[in-house]
Structure formats: C-alpha cells, structure tokens
Amino acid sequence: MTVLAFSHLRADDNAWIPLFNGKNLDGWTPKITKHPCGVNVLDTFRVEDGILKVSYDKYEKFDKQYGHLYTNIPYSRYLLRMEYRFTGKMMEDAPHFVNLNSGFMIHSQSPQSMGIDQEFPVSLEFQFLADEGKGKRSTGNVCTPGTNLEIDGKLVTQHIVKSSAPTFPAEEWVKVEIEVRGNEEVIHRVNGEEVLRYQRPQLDPEGGVESAEALIEAGAPKQLSFGYIALQAEGQPVWFRNIELKSMEE
C-alpha cells in the first residue's frame, strides 16, 4: 500500500479544521462494494441542508453494497469529532445487525487498495448503535475488521469490544469524539465522556480476513500508526454533521 503524507496540518494549528464543508463531498472519496473506487452509487452519500446523509431512497435492493466515504488524506495523531443521528429504516434485505448501526473507521486502508467486492476496509471502527427496544445497546464500541488491539498490555482478538456508553434513541443527535495517538493509544468519547480506551492497533495476520493478509504480504507494517478516516454506509440511513479534526502531530 502506498503511504501518503499524514496530514497537511501542523502541530501549531490549534484550531479545529472542518473535514466536511457542509456543501459537497470535496475532500472525500466513496468506495462501495461491487463498484469501482470513486463511484457514489445511486447518490448514497449526499449533502442536504448542511448535513452529510447516507440515503437509500434510490435503491431497489441493498444487495450487500456496503459503502464507505474516505478522507483523501491519511492521519496519524489527531482528535476527531462529529455528530450523528439515525433516521428511517434499514434496507429490508440487509443483515439484521445493520439495524440502527453505523460508524466511522480509523487507521483504514486507502479506498484505492480495496478489492472490488470487499465489504469492509481493514481498519478500526468507532461503532454507532441506537435503541432497538430490546435492552442496553451501548454506542461507541470498537469493531475490528482485519485488525486486533491491546488493552492494558493484553492482546484482544474479539471482533467487538463494548464501551461503557449509554443507549440512545435513534432520532437523537449524539456527539462523539475519538483521540488517536498513532499506534500508542485510542480513546472513544460520547457526549464528552470517555467510554473506551485501547492501545497498539494492529493488523490481524491470523483472523482469516483476506484483505488483511494481502496488506501484510504487500509489506504493510503490522502495527497501525496511521490511516484514512471513513464514514460508514451499511444499509441503515444515517446523518453526519460538524465533522472536525484537530492535529496532534509534533
């Protein structure tokens, strides 16, 4: 995988920098399963009223067309914050786990390196979940497609590590923030409260994920210290707004 510059931001840029301009998708690249990189299939990702929306009103079927919208620049050490809100119903033919489920990926592989039929990028996901009326369903978990992580020096290989966040109604705007310190540590926050902390994000060489194995074979370092940010579209309509980043590069 070709490694690009981490960021155009400098350590003395203390202001929050908008990653989403509220007008269009400039600075972002879509990659949707079964389609070439750069094709925004059926206007899945769109901007309306200053909100970046994931919409499926032009789809007849979901048909496992998982989508991600990637920053054009990879980042290493930063704070990222945004607000999200679920709206509408999931696609009928999407798997059950998609219901009121979305998120964003960090330390992701580039969209250009994704296979045409690859469903999820090798990355770590800050997962968004909302109340289904079936009991506690905390938001702010971490999911690990093709990756592992460590907590307090112990390797964690399970796909989902749950956070301590509360359960939120689907239609409520929720503020989330992630603090990413390269390969050292990642902290999840929800509405200003820390809900999860882990260390040493890394590729999983034994997890059976072909895309992760391909990156390793291509010479990618096992320890992940940088990567792209990607917003998720996996069959459930969701809105994003106020997407901002603050560099912590030294």
Side-chain angles (χ1 to χ4, degrees), residues 167-231:
T167 303
F168 292 97
E171 299 291 328
E172 183 174 331
W173 281 105
V174 180
K175 296 180 179 180
V176 295
E177 179 181 289
I178 193 167
E179 181 174 337
V180 182
R181 296 185 175 273
N183 182 249
E184 298 167 15
E185 190 162 56
V186 179
I187 302 170
H188 292 198
R189 299 185 179 98
V190 175
N191 286 343
E193 299 292 331
E194 180 179 327
V195 297
L196 183 63
R197 180 185 294 246
Y198 52 92
Q199 299 80 38
R200 295 179 64 78
Q202 56 196 265
L203 296 176
D204 180 2
E206 300 177 355
V209 178
E210 293 182 0
S211 46
E213 295 172 358
L215 291 174
I216 293 171
E217 291 177 1
K222 181 180 177 181
Q223 297 294 326
L224 294 173
S225 59
F226 68 96
Y228 295 80
I229 297 164
L231 308 179

Side-chain angles (χ1 to χ4, degrees), residues 35-55:
H35 303 278
C37 178
V39 177
N40 188 15
V41 178
L42 298 174
D43 202 23
T44 304
F45 298 100
R46 65 186 71 167
V47 181
E48 297 174 341
D49 302 320
I51 297 171
L52 200 164
K53 299 181 179 181
V54 171
S55 301

Side-chain angles (χ1 to χ4, degrees), residues 2 18 45 51 54 59 63 65 73 88 103 127 153 191 195 212 219 229 232:
T2 302
F45 298 100
I51 297 171
V54 171
Y59 280 64
D63 194 26
Q65 295 176 91
I73 297 173
Q127 185 184 45
N191 286 343
V195 297
I229 297 164
Q232 203 171 58

Side-chain angles (χ1 to χ4, degrees), residues 125-154:
E125 177 192 352
F126 189 123
Q127 185 184 45
F128 304 158
L129 295 173
D131 188 9
E132 293 182 305
K134 301 176 183 178
K136 181 176 172 59
R137 196 170 188 239
S138 59
T139 196
N141 305 328
V142 61
C143 302
T144 56
T147 56
N148 291 323
L149 52 88
E150 295 181 9
I151 295 179
D152 297 330
K154 296 182 179 180

Side-chain angles (χ1 to χ4, degrees), residues 16-34:
W16 288 90
I17 305 298
L19 293 186
F20 166 54
N21 63 19
K23 300 176 181 179
N24 53 45
L25 300 179
D26 287 357
W28 298 83
T29 298
K31 172 64 182 79
I32 297 175
T33 306
K34 304 182 181 182

Side-chain angles (χ1 to χ4, degrees), residues 56-57 59-63 89-95 98 234-237:
Y56 293 97
D57 56 357
Y59 280 64
E60 292 186 4
K61 291 184 178 181
F62 180 59
D63 194 26
K89 296 182 179 180
M90 62 175 275
M91 293 294 292
E92 289 186 3
D93 65 317
V98 163
E234 56 179 15
Q236 164 70 53

